[in-house]
Amino acid sequence: MKQPVAEVVLTAALAIAVLGCGGGGGGSSRTASGSPGPRQPAGAPSTTAGRSQPDTTEANVSGDIPDNQVFVAFTNPIGGFTVKVPEGWARSDADGAVLFSDKLNSIRLETRPAAAPPSVTSAQATEVPAIRTAATGFQPGKVTSVARRKAGPAVLVTYRADAAPDPVTGKVVHDDVERYYFWKSGTEAILTLSGPAGSDNVDPWRTVTDSFSWV
């Protein structure tokens, strides 16, 4: 028996409404318009249209220490010296050395017995070969006797070497390194300052090395 025209029209309208409500079920996981999606972990690449994009949130890529950086006095826990270091940098201790570091720069402080004060000749003969052996990607710089600091004269060895790989990205940064040797009464203090090659840290490094004093 044929259905009345009105019933046919009503049935068709109901079918269209049901399809309209059920359609797009596969998109239920999408975020609402204007709402942010899940936040990517720090350092993870973002994606746009299915393509990986470089992380653009990296700050202070050059490694320059900010002009407004505050420095605070640090006294070596085993005695011997004091020195100013950047406030807020992470500190770690290992093998008698103290390391202060931020994301890209570091300051390593250590002492050792030494019968005689360092000289340009002794540093070229012993220190440079030892550094060359220990450092990855070593490129020699200069060995000089620096202008007098508050703690007295020092020998400076400069070079370039690879920093430790980033534990997350595996990226390796090539560092400029300044290594200062101070001496007093049979003890040698070594200050090793490092940061990404090309960084302009002349003033901060001068603040650190000029603040060094024996106690």
Side-chain angles (χ1 to χ4, degrees):
M1 180 170 55
K2 295 183 179 180
Q3 292 178 301
V5 174
E7 288 187 27
V8 173
V9 173
L10 177 61
T11 301
L14 289 173
I16 293 172
V18 170
L19 289 173
C21 292
S28 60
S29 62
R30 296 171 62 185
T31 58
S33 176
S35 300
R39 188 175 184 273
Q40 294 287 345
S46 59
T47 56
T48 301
R51 293 181 299 174
S52 176
Q53 301 293 327
D55 186 0
T56 58
T57 61
E58 186 80 15
N60 198 26
V61 175
S62 68
D64 292 354
I65 297 173
D67 293 338
N68 62 351
Q69 175 66 57
V70 175
F71 292 80
V72 295
F74 167 76
T75 300
N76 186 20
I78 61 175
F81 66 85
T82 64
V83 65
K84 287 184 177 180
V85 296
E87 184 178 42
W89 283 23
R91 172 186 165 182
S92 59
D93 302 76
D95 302 324
V98 181
L99 180 70
F100 291 92
S101 60
D102 70 350
K103 189 175 182 181
L104 297 171
N105 302 287
S106 69
I107 301 171
R108 180 182 172 91
L109 312 170
E110 57 190 307
T111 59
R112 65 186 181 189
S119 67
V120 171
T121 299
S122 67
Q124 288 174 330
T126 61
E127 294 304 312
V128 173
I131 295 169
R132 183 191 301 272
T133 300
T136 303
F138 175 83
Q139 294 180 18
K142 298 179 179 180
V143 181
T144 57
S145 179
V146 301
R148 190 173 185 86
R149 293 292 200 264
K150 292 180 179 178
V155 170
L156 170 61
V157 177
T158 63
Y159 59 95
R160 284 188 174 181
D162 293 340
D166 185 283
V168 176
T169 65
K171 182 179 179 180
V172 175
V173 176
H174 209 49
D175 281 348
D176 282 334
V177 185
E178 297 182 3
R179 195 170 170 92
Y180 290 80
Y181 297 82
F182 293 92
W183 185 89
K184 181 181 179 182
S185 304
T187 299
E188 188 172 61
I190 305 170
L191 279 63
T192 305
L193 318 172
S194 61
S199 300
D200 182 10
N201 288 329
V202 174
D203 291 339
W205 289 160
R206 179 60 187 252
T207 296
V208 173
T209 58
D210 200 40
S211 72
F212 177 86
S213 64
W214 296 99
V215 296

